[in-house]
Amino acid sequence: MNAKDKMTARLTLLEGVNISPADLETIADEIEDNQRIVAELEAFAQGTPWISFQVQPPEKKA
Amino acid sequence: MAPADIAEMGLADLSARLVARELSSSDAVSSALERLDRLEGKLNAFITVLHNQAQVEAKKADDEIVRGQHRGPLHGVPVTIKDMFETAGTRTTGGSKILQNWIPDADSALVARLRAAGAIIIGKTNLDEFGHGGTSTLSYYGPVHNPWRLEHIAGGSSGGSAAAVAAGIGPISYGTETGSSVRRPASYCGIVGFKPTFGIISRHGSFRGAWSQDHVGLFGRTVKDIALALDPVAGFDARDPASVRQEIPAYASRLKANAQGLRVGVLRRFLDGVDPAVRQSFEAALKIFAGLGSELVDLDVPEIGYAAMTSMLTSAAESAGINRRWFREHYHDFVPHVARGLAVGMAITASEYLTVQRARHRIREVLRATYEKVEIIAAPTTARVAPLLSEGVKGNGDDARHAGYNHSNLLRFPSMLGLPGCSLPCGMSPEGLPIGLQLIGAWFADQTVLNAAAAFQSATDWHKRRPDIAKV
């Protein structure tokens, strides 16, 4: 999938909302830059555990 | 006593006089409302003002106090709250057009606790829409103006609350913080802004900016006032999944202005881009702590250089998730900058969000180790003083899109990790705008932070300064 198709795939998440072409361009630029940021954070986080939390009752006991 | 003199009183003083019946709640509320009415045209700090309701409640408070039924330090005291907190029977807008006519039928946890404490809510303050901003210019109801220089911003998103307290409209206001929305406006407006550890104050019934980073916080002119206003509203609430069980809050009675032996960490490499006047005031503040017997510890924690990016993406994804329905049904009713931000957040995938949380965990673990070496991390609250309104949203000079030793990371990491943080005034710029110092503690070391802040205020008088607008 090329870069344009990837962006199109992300923008389908905004379907149903009438966004102006100018806004869409601004949004797309930021989405693309966010992918750069995620890649940096992924490299930074290498070796760190994945975090997940169970939503357990506060009074839980083993 | 003249209304202007009453309006200048802090919470501790006002509360003592109410108990002693030297002043009535009706007088205190009238003074605050008089000042509000006189200054609001210049500040735009309020969305809704409760003239009649507040005066009725003040009368009731006076009757109770006369009968000896004193409820505590907030009884009969005029306070303000950010328009993020659901208030039964009162319009609650979130700074948005979407909710311009919404009247909740139940109180948020904060409002319920304030009512139980006998506080008199006199108004709902202006803010960036649903907390999405750092300027308080992204409100459907217009921007908030800084009481020190009206052509400058008050900071956000809790700018209305900060402006109100700085201008003497009530001694205390309650706001919220997701990224920096208590500490930044406190710094810009020259007052104390305290954000407790995540989960100390219930968020039930307040709008969510980003659920894993949202906090309720307070504004006041002294640390003692903050501690007095914190006790009645802190405490476990099962309706907020993040709420922590704690013993009965007693921050005020345990407040000690003592920094002797405190290890205060300084992250000097993050200060290079800070405005010279801010840097100068910060270094002077460190000397104060040294004089109080604190040990200054130079720290280098490069991992904090990823905090702003991590915080920003976390907020973007969580805000989009929270606003999914309104995004589709009311996109064009949001403030345009906020709407675009939500659109960007909608495009963050689940795996990307989880990757960001992994980075967050790495930063958290590094800070856990850091707080074995120090009790407090001190930094300038913001890299510059309040910018001009005309500079728009970029005026704050934040950079949440690049890793590295930039100050934006020092602003964002406390709320990202849920650490207690207090901003307090530590200087003035050549242009006459306040400069703030922030003290960040370890998880649940809220008392340590408040005590250190109180120690600083005992040795300085920056917190006694008032903007000219409040002196008339």
Side-chain angles (χ1 to χ4, degrees):
Chain A
M1 194 185 272
N2 62 31
K4 186 179 172 203
D5 289 341
K6 285 180 189 172
M7 180 56 69
T8 303
R10 285 190 191 260
L11 292 177
T12 59
L13 292 165
L14 310 181
E15 263 182 348
V17 180
N18 186 12
I19 302 176
S20 72
D23 271 5
L24 210 51
E25 191 174 336
T26 302
I27 292 164
D29 286 346
E30 200 166 317
I31 290 173
E32 191 171 352
D33 197 48
N34 279 353
Q35 290 170 64
R36 169 191 61 80
I37 293 173
V38 170
E40 276 192 60
L41 291 176
E42 186 170 27
F44 168 71
Q46 278 300 309
T48 307
W50 293 94
I51 297 300
S52 61
F53 294 100
Q54 285 284 350
V55 183
Q56 291 174 325
E59 304 296 342
K60 66 182 186 290
K61 293 179 183 175
Chain B
M1 188 174 285
D5 295 330
I6 300 173
E8 279 304 304
M9 284 182 192
L11 172 59
D13 191 11
L14 183 56
S15 183
R17 288 175 188 255
L18 287 169
V19 171
R21 290 158 63 187
E22 292 170 13
L23 273 180
S24 68
S25 174
S26 300
D27 285 339
V29 166
S30 293
S31 297
L33 287 171
E34 184 277 332
R35 183 165 286 199
L36 188 161
D37 290 338
R38 188 159 47 78
L39 300 182
E40 175 57 4
K42 296 177 183 174
L43 297 177
N44 198 36
F46 287 86
I47 294 175
T48 300
V49 181
L50 301 166
H51 287 97
N52 295 338
Q53 184 175 327
Q55 284 163 343
V56 167
E57 289 177 8
K59 178 74 175 62
K60 179 184 164 202
D62 283 328
D63 291 343
E64 286 179 350
I65 291 171
V66 162
R67 291 198 300 269
Q69 294 166 349
H70 189 248
R71 300 187 191 200
L74 287 175
H75 198 178
V77 173
V79 304
T80 61
I81 63 174
K82 188 178 184 181
D83 204 13
M84 286 277 270
F85 298 105
E86 293 173 24
T87 311
T90 299
R91 180 172 77 145
T92 300
T93 71
S96 182
K97 178 184 177 186
I98 298 169
L99 295 179
Q100 60 181 317
N101 297 313
W102 184 53
I103 300 179
D105 54 19
D107 284 332
S108 54
L110 175 83
V111 171
R113 289 186 179 184
L114 287 174
R115 293 203 203 281
I120 313 295
I121 299 171
I122 65 168
K124 313 286 295 290
T125 59
N126 201 356
L127 65 154
D128 287 309
E129 187 175 46
F130 297 123
H132 295 305
T135 59
S136 292
T137 62
L138 301 175
S139 170
Y140 177 66
Y141 304 92
V144 179
H145 296 252
N146 192 306
W148 292 85
R149 298 277 298 272
L150 295 173
E151 66 274 27
H152 291 249
I153 69 170
S157 60
S158 309
S161 282
V165 171
I169 304 169
I172 290 288
S173 190
Y174 294 85
T176 63
E177 174 169 309
T178 301
S180 58
S181 296
V182 166
R183 287 171 292 124
R184 189 203 309 263
S187 180
Y188 282 177
C189 291
I191 58 171
V192 184
F194 180 64
K195 182 205 72 64
T197 298
F198 187 70
I200 292 286
I201 304 178
S202 172
R203 305 157 314 158
H204 172 77
S206 67
F207 298 119
R208 290 280 77 81
W211 63 81
S212 76
Q213 297 183 132
D214 290 336
H215 303 68
V216 177
L218 304 86
F219 298 90
R221 284 178 243 142
T222 69
V223 178
K224 184 171 182 184
D225 284 358
I226 292 286
L228 286 169
L230 174 59
D231 285 340
V233 301
F236 179 70
D237 180 3
R239 297 168 300 175
D240 179 352
S243 188
V244 295
R245 291 197 177 276
Q246 53 191 299
E247 61 184 19
I248 295 171
Y251 297 100
S253 63
R254 292 178 182 154
L255 190 67
K256 287 180 199 170
N258 183 10
Q260 180 70 38
L262 197 68
R263 295 173 300 171
V264 177
V266 184
L267 295 154
R268 289 195 184 280
R269 293 189 67 180
F270 286 89
L271 303 183
D272 284 345
V274 167
D275 183 88
V278 173
R279 182 81 187 253
Q280 188 176 5
S281 291
F282 175 65
E283 296 291 351
L286 291 179
K287 289 191 174 121
I288 296 288
F289 274 104
L292 290 168
S294 299
E295 176 192 348
L296 302 181
V297 179
D298 278 335
L299 297 172
D300 187 18
V301 187
E303 291 86 349
I304 291 179
Y306 291 84
M309 300 197 304
T310 305
S311 168
M312 180 271 293
L313 283 176
T314 299
S315 287
E318 291 181 2
S319 299
I322 291 161
N323 287 284
R324 276 177 68 86
R325 183 167 63 89
W326 281 350
F327 176 77
R328 285 184 161 69
E329 295 175 5
H330 293 286
Y331 180 82
H332 294 286
D333 292 327
F334 281 100
V335 169
H337 183 87
V338 173
R340 287 192 291 271
L342 291 174
V344 172
M346 293 289 288
I348 297 173
T349 65
S351 63
E352 287 170 340
Y353 173 79
L354 291 170
T355 296
V356 172
Q357 299 317 296
R358 204 178 175 202
R360 188 176 179 187
H361 182 61
R362 180 174 173 191
I363 300 169
R364 181 186 296 124
E365 290 307 292
V366 165
L367 263 299
R368 201 190 299 279
T370 301
Y371 278 110
E372 289 174 6
K373 303 176 201 169
V374 298
E375 281 79 45
I376 294 283
I377 292 174
T381 307
T382 56
R384 55 177 302 197
V385 294
L388 288 162
L389 280 156
S390 57
E391 293 182 63
V393 294
K394 293 191 188 305
N396 282 331
D398 295 346
D399 182 2
R401 307 197 71 80
H402 300 91
Y405 285 104
N406 78 69
H407 180 277
S408 296
N409 296 291
L410 299 188
L411 191 53
R412 296 294 290 249
F413 87 86
S415 273
M416 185 183 76
L417 299 180
L419 300 166
C422 187
S423 177
L424 52 164
C426 72
M428 295 292 287
S429 75
E431 314 99 310
L433 286 161
I435 295 170
L437 159 76
Q438 63 170 344
L439 304 174
I440 312 299
W443 294 273
F444 303 106
D446 300 64
Q447 194 73 59
T448 302
V449 171
L450 290 169
N451 288 353
F456 182 80
Q457 286 200 324
S458 71
T460 59
D461 65 359
W462 297 109
H463 58 287
K464 296 180 184 174
R465 299 196 180 200
R466 298 283 176 265
D468 288 340
I469 203 172
K471 292 176 189 169
V472 175

